[in-house]
Amino acid sequence: MIRCSRKELLNALQTLSGILPSKSPKPILENVLFHPLKNTVEVLATDLEVGIKLTLTEVEVIQKMDFLVPGQKLLGILKESEADTVAFEMQENHCKITLNQDIFNVLSLSPEEFPQIADFQEKETFSIPSTLLRNMIRKTSFATANEATRYTMNGLLMDNDGKTMKTVATDGKRLAYTQCKSPTKEKFSVLLPPKGFQHIEKVLSHHRNENASLLIKENQLLLKANSTILTVQLLQGNFPPYQNVIPKGFPLSTSIHKNAFTKSLKKALLLTIQESQSVRLHFEEKTLTLFSHDPSIGEATVFANLEEPIAEPLDISFNPTFFLDVLKVLEEDIVHLSFKDSTSPGVIQEKDDFLYVVMPLNL
């Protein structure tokens, strides 16, 4: 039997909820495993692709006994209750859950059948600031693909040569790349699945002023942030040779305020065809003119001021959502744009650690 803080357990289950299905071909995966220790209780969940282990500290352990509780049902119970504490007591194949005068008896499967989550070996890890890793994922993951046929492009590449660590994502039409000084001399190149990098970012958002520890072994990545441990099954396959996509040399460059660029793109987007969104960008001196056209409605011409003049006029067309996506993750107010010509990719750079490459559209 254990007793714990309802609020602390509710926060833990909300973190686990993304990997807790209401229905699964494997019913055992619908459950949360409680593992009582001397003064704490570990709470575990997994969908076999991602596993998360959290530690509850506001607890009273009366009897050390592992048990399972259906995760989504327990989450619903805790949300509806106003009790300060929640007590769990095993009764044969049922778990009795008590909150004030409310009692819930739920079926409890055997904890021996619950999949094991890999152990975290502290000696084999390397450390990286949580905020840095979270920002690297946030500034690249939006460019991943969502296709069944090219599943490796659905993943986020973490590539480390011992000097520089990079995160890279591409869907074949754009590429986002960011880098930092390598936190380890160990070389690795791994592919994180969508659910994996989404949960890493989610966990790190709760530990922004701390360091995270990482461990890569076999086909898994393990991350520890404070008392939270997350395991991710890595994607297998070859990521596209991203170095070949990055253009060399940009004879044309300019800059624009992020808010002005965002508003102009959103205006032009209003009169585009939903199936094939396209906006033509005309750069000349210190003016950007955006043209869009929808045969069923009409056309739009939108103007914006550039922060610095472009060397020569340029006409080039893009999917405006590809620019709007990257503008959401940029940190600086001024956006630096570079081009080679009207048929080559456009590039956005921020500081020395972020690069975004987007292919133009042929009209």
Side-chain angles (χ1 to χ4, degrees):
M1 179 178 177
I2 66 168
R3 186 176 290 109
C4 61
S5 161
R6 182 191 67 87
K7 184 176 180 180
E8 185 183 26
L9 180 55
L10 176 59
N11 289 337
L13 287 178
Q14 287 173 332
T15 299
L16 299 175
S17 61
I19 58 172
L20 279 173
S22 299
K23 287 290 182 181
S24 170
K26 297 183 177 181
I28 197 77
L29 300 180
E30 300 170 14
N31 291 267
V32 171
L33 173 67
F34 286 79
H35 178 57
L37 301 172
K38 184 177 181 180
N39 298 310
T40 60
V41 174
E42 293 180 344
V43 184
L44 301 85
T46 181
D47 62 1
L48 301 183
E49 183 179 354
V50 175
I52 303 177
K53 180 193 294 185
L54 303 171
T55 300
L56 305 179
T57 58
E58 300 176 37
V59 300
E60 179 186 1
V61 178
I62 301 168
Q63 183 180 10
K64 293 182 182 179
M65 177 187 294
D66 289 0
F67 60 92
L68 294 175
V69 178
Q72 292 293 349
K73 293 296 184 184
L74 179 57
L75 179 59
I77 291 170
L78 296 177
K79 283 182 177 179
E80 295 301 325
S81 176
E82 296 180 355
D84 292 329
T85 61
V86 52
F88 297 88
E89 182 180 0
M90 284 302 300
Q91 298 176 339
E92 295 182 352
N93 63 342
H94 282 75
C95 180
K96 179 183 177 182
I97 306 171
T98 305
L99 301 99
N100 290 340
Q101 283 76 41
D102 299 332
I103 298 174
F104 301 85
N105 282 296
V106 298
L107 182 66
S108 180
L109 301 178
S110 171
E112 285 77 18
E113 300 176 15
F114 194 79
Q116 290 191 349
I117 295 178
D119 291 330
F120 196 87
Q121 304 295 330
E122 295 282 358
K123 294 181 180 180
E124 304 174 15
T125 67
F126 62 90
S127 180
I128 184 171
S130 294
T131 299
L132 173 60
L133 180 57
R134 177 176 178 268
N135 284 342
M136 292 180 72
I137 293 173
R138 185 178 65 89
K139 293 178 75 170
T140 50
S141 59
F142 70 90
T144 56
N146 185 22
E147 298 183 18
T149 55
R150 298 186 293 177
Y151 70 94
T152 57
M153 294 173 68
N154 297 342
L156 179 74
L157 178 70
M158 287 184 64
D159 190 23
N160 186 64
D161 60 9
K163 296 181 180 179
T164 306
M165 188 176 82
K166 288 86 68 176
T167 58
V168 189
T170 182
D171 61 4
K173 300 174 183 177
R174 55 182 172 172
L175 179 143
Y177 168 104
T178 187
Q179 66 178 31
C180 71
K181 182 179 178 181
S182 176
T184 176
K185 294 182 180 179
E186 178 187 354
K187 296 181 180 181
F188 60 83
S189 185
V190 298
L191 264 178
L192 298 172
K195 190 177 290 187
F197 61 70
Q198 289 164 9
H199 278 85
I200 290 175
E201 185 180 351
K202 183 177 180 180
V203 167
L204 294 177
S205 68
H206 298 299
H207 304 279
R208 299 189 182 191
N209 298 320
E210 305 168 15
N211 281 352
S213 298
L214 286 174
L215 170 63
I216 297 171
K217 62 177 185 179
E218 298 176 354
N219 63 338
Q220 286 187 326
L221 180 143
L222 288 81
L223 177 142
K224 184 176 182 181
N226 199 348
S227 60
T228 300
I229 296 176
L230 183 145
T231 65
V232 178
Q233 295 291 329
L234 299 171
L235 288 176
Q236 303 301 309
N238 297 319
F239 193 77
Y242 64 90
Q243 299 91 339
N244 300 339
V245 178
I246 300 174
K248 304 295 189 293
F250 313 105
L252 300 175
S253 62
T254 185
S255 60
I256 185 171
H257 197 282
K258 181 168 62 176
N259 289 341
F261 197 22
T262 300
K263 290 180 180 179
S264 299
L265 288 166
K266 287 182 175 180
K267 291 176 185 177
L269 181 62
L270 294 172
L271 292 188
T272 58
I273 304 173
Q274 185 67 32
E275 294 75 17
S276 57
Q277 293 177 337
S278 174
V279 170
R280 179 164 63 91
L281 279 62
H282 176 75
F283 296 87
E284 186 167 356
E285 296 183 351
K286 292 191 69 174
T287 301
L288 168 62
T289 310
L290 300 88
F291 302 94
S292 60
H293 176 66
D294 182 342
S296 65
I297 301 177
E299 59 186 26
T301 304
V302 180
F303 296 91
N305 294 323
L306 298 173
E307 294 295 315
E308 57 183 290
I310 194 166
E312 60 184 63
L314 174 70
D315 269 298
I316 189 167
S317 297
F318 293 101
N319 183 331
T321 59
F322 287 175
F323 277 122
L324 289 171
D325 286 343
V326 71
L327 292 174
K328 294 175 185 177
V329 302
L330 294 180
E331 299 173 9
E332 297 183 339
D333 291 332
I334 302 301
V335 181
H336 299 278
L337 299 160
S338 301
F339 306 95
K340 181 179 180 181
D341 52 47
S342 61
T343 60
S344 300
V347 174
I348 289 179
Q349 290 178 283
E350 187 172 64
K351 301 177 183 177
D352 296 324
D353 58 10
F354 177 76
L355 185 75
Y356 182 65
V357 182
V358 56
M359 295 298 295
L361 298 175
N362 296 320
L363 296 181

